[in-house]
Amino acid sequence: MSPDTHGPSPVSPGIQGPSSTSPTAALTPTAALTPTAALTPAGATSAARTSTRARAARNRRYLVHGSRVLLLALVFGAWELLARADVIDPFNFSMPSAIWDQIREWALHGTAQGSLWEQIWYTLYEALLGWVVGVVTGVVLGITLGRIRFLSDVLGPYIKVLNAIPRIVLAPVFLIWFGLGPASKVASAVVLVFFPVFFNAFQGAREVDRNLVNNARILGASNRRVTLQVVVPSATSWIFTSLHVSFGFALIGAIVGEYIGATKGLGLLVAASQGTFNAAGVYAAMAILAVVALLTEGLLTFGERRLFRWRPAEPGTER
């Protein structure tokens, strides 16, 4: 027989059949890539990107907070220096150190009207009660008029007229009606809170996706179920937007009512400090009020994030 009959057949170096691959070559890392190993580089890249984004968001958050603190320190430092150098009159403008001394004096020894914490709680109680009443009435009436066009057509002009009235001027009227007690301050807070909440709830009820409403009706939902299970959830984001602003309005209503006439509260501290030409006392009451407002805003923001965890974060915001 000729050598090319029994000898090894020539194999092209670029092409190998299955029988030409040895067991050792089959077990090499290059040849034995499992699905997990094939996905490892992509998974590592995704994890690296997530870590980079988290680190960038954390650094930006630190930068924002640090810039806020720095700006506040610069303003207070310039205020203190200008007052001590008599560039501005410390009698009229006071200074941060005097304001801090006034707050500490009130906290340790109380005010002429009683304990400082009692004054804070009294104002907070009036603002919270007025805020709750204003929010509930605004949401109920806004959703109702948003759902029932006949009522909105009838009551719309009257609500617009009432909204055009400067509501701060109603505080003396409420003082005459309800006296020096908390009722007059609660009424002032209610009228300030009601309108922004009402208009947001009304608009939210009008902006509901009509396809959702039609689908609910096809499935046999009554008007009550459509309102409670479709309209109200859809308008919740609109309502929450107004809650952040409305609590500040509630504090304004309570403070203005106390300033005009009251027996307790931070507004009374402002009026008493003004009557004695105590500029530090006026600024101290304002600083306490600002802290209360910021804490409440933080609680509202926390509640909103917990309630709307399903909603994607807007660009530039951290959740």
Side-chain angles (χ1 to χ4, degrees):
M1 292 186 179
S2 60
D4 55 354
T5 305
H6 293 281
S9 60
V11 179
S12 172
I15 304 175
Q16 278 188 319
S19 60
S20 65
T21 305
S22 64
T24 306
L27 294 177
T28 57
T30 305
L33 284 178
T34 62
T36 305
L39 294 178
T40 298
T45 303
S46 176
R49 288 177 180 174
T50 303
S51 176
T52 302
R53 278 199 220 93
R55 186 165 57 253
R58 186 168 58 250
N59 292 338
R60 183 183 182 279
R61 188 163 57 247
Y62 291 155
L63 178 62
V64 169
H65 293 332
S67 300
R68 289 173 179 173
V69 172
L70 179 61
L71 178 61
L72 190 64
L74 288 175
V75 171
F76 282 172
W79 184 3
E80 183 79 18
L81 290 175
L82 292 175
R84 290 187 179 276
D86 287 332
V87 177
I88 58 175
D89 188 0
F91 180 79
N92 293 325
F93 294 93
S94 188
M95 61 183 71
S97 59
I99 296 170
W100 172 252
D101 292 339
Q102 182 67 77
I103 295 176
R104 187 174 58 183
E105 176 72 17
W106 283 347
L108 296 177
H109 305 291
T111 68
Q113 292 77 30
S115 168
L116 174 62
W117 313 112
E118 184 181 6
Q119 313 308 312
I120 295 174
W121 167 245
Y122 202 75
T123 299
L124 195 57
Y125 163 75
E126 295 166 345
L128 279 173
L129 185 57
W131 182 71
V132 170
V133 174
V135 166
V136 171
T137 54
V139 168
V140 171
L141 197 58
I143 295 293
T144 301
L145 267 64
R147 292 282 295 148
I148 305 175
R149 186 172 292 276
F150 175 76
L151 285 181
S152 67
D153 292 340
V154 172
L155 299 179
Y158 299 104
I159 293 177
K160 291 178 181 178
V161 169
L162 292 175
N163 185 46
I165 297 175
R167 290 178 286 280
I168 292 297
V169 302
L170 295 176
V173 177
F174 294 143
L175 187 64
I176 296 173
W177 288 355
F178 304 115
L180 295 175
S184 58
K185 289 73 180 173
V186 171
S188 299
V190 168
V191 296
L192 285 173
V193 169
F194 169 80
F195 287 98
V197 175
F198 166 79
F199 285 115
N200 272 40
F202 177 82
Q203 191 65 27
R206 286 291 178 89
E207 294 292 333
V208 175
D209 188 355
R210 303 309 303 174
N211 291 328
L212 293 178
V213 176
N214 294 334
N215 290 339
R217 292 192 184 283
I218 291 173
L219 294 174
S222 62
N223 286 332
R224 177 175 172 273
R225 291 177 68 88
V226 169
T227 300
L228 294 179
Q229 299 182 5
V230 177
V231 176
V232 172
S234 299
T236 303
S237 59
W238 288 79
I239 295 170
F240 254 92
T241 301
S242 66
L243 296 187
H244 293 276
V245 180
S246 61
F247 188 79
F249 288 160
L251 283 174
I252 292 173
I255 291 294
V256 170
E258 291 171 352
Y259 182 83
I260 295 174
T263 57
K264 294 178 183 178
L266 292 176
L268 182 59
L269 286 182
V270 173
S273 299
Q274 181 194 12
T276 57
F277 297 97
N278 180 11
V282 174
Y283 289 118
M286 292 170 59
I288 294 170
L289 183 63
V291 171
V292 171
L294 286 175
L295 291 176
T296 309
E297 170 69 17
L299 291 176
L300 285 174
T301 302
F302 175 77
E304 182 181 13
R305 288 180 176 177
R306 295 281 294 180
L307 186 61
F308 294 107
R309 283 181 294 182
W310 53 269
R311 191 172 60 184
E314 296 179 0
T317 62
E318 299 99 10
R319 278 194 173 274

